[in-house]
Amino acid sequence: MDTTKWAAGDFNGDAKSDLAASWANGSTAGAEDCQKAEERYAGYVDKVPQTAADVTNAEHALLHLVNVERSQRGLAPLCFNGHLATAARAHSENWATAPDRSCPSNPNWFGCGHWDSRAGYAWPEDRIAKSGYGGYRTMSENTQNGGGRSDGRNVVPAGWTWGTPKAAVHWWMHHDPENNYANNGHRRAILDPRFKDAGPGVGRYTDGDGNRAATFTLMFGAR
């Protein structure tokens, strides 16, 4: 493997940065380029982010795992979109300041993990509208948070670590399995063939037991 080309984001050998193209707007690069752009973050799927660099790695590891789930079912990978990612990180950071907060009711049934205390950014529709992503045909948002070792009672297997991309995606994919996951909107968003772009965002906090913890947001879009 030519690691120089890999580091430069040239995955197809044409001396152009496929990584830059896919990150720019989530639609100029081919599906294979988008998937390869995230594969190099596979080594961070089981790490709780502690530094700014860890946050970036965890965000891309989150998208990598989502693309693995899609590819296993014959679905095209999602392309990283910078506008959605900026909005997602800002929300995750806001949520991390008070991860157990209460929130106003929402007519679309979004839970408090989707609520943002910043004026004008309260709900996912507000955030995508101000993200710069532009007009969209459809959108959705997944959120998850936690820290510490799982005891196996809430979907994530015992011994796994909450606050990792691996635990977040596993929970999204496997909670509420009844009736073929009919009530699992997180899984439905991940496997929705309409979505083309995604923006992952991660926030850091320390939970009440002193564990390093993280908030995860993944915004989905299609234009």
Side-chain angles (χ1 to χ4, degrees), residues 75-101:
L75 298 170
L78 300 172
C79 292
F80 178 98
N81 181 276
H83 295 298
L84 298 180
T86 298
R89 182 184 289 188
H91 174 59
S92 282
E93 290 177 342
N94 179 269
W95 187 20
T97 63
D100 298 319
R101 64 194 177 191

Side-chain angles (χ1 to χ4, degrees), residues 8 10 25 27 32 35 54-56 78 145 160 163 195 197 221:
D10 177 16
N25 60 20
S27 61
E32 183 179 355
Q35 185 156 351
D54 290 341
V55 165
T56 298
L78 300 172
N145 79 305
W160 284 28
F195 290 132
D197 309 315

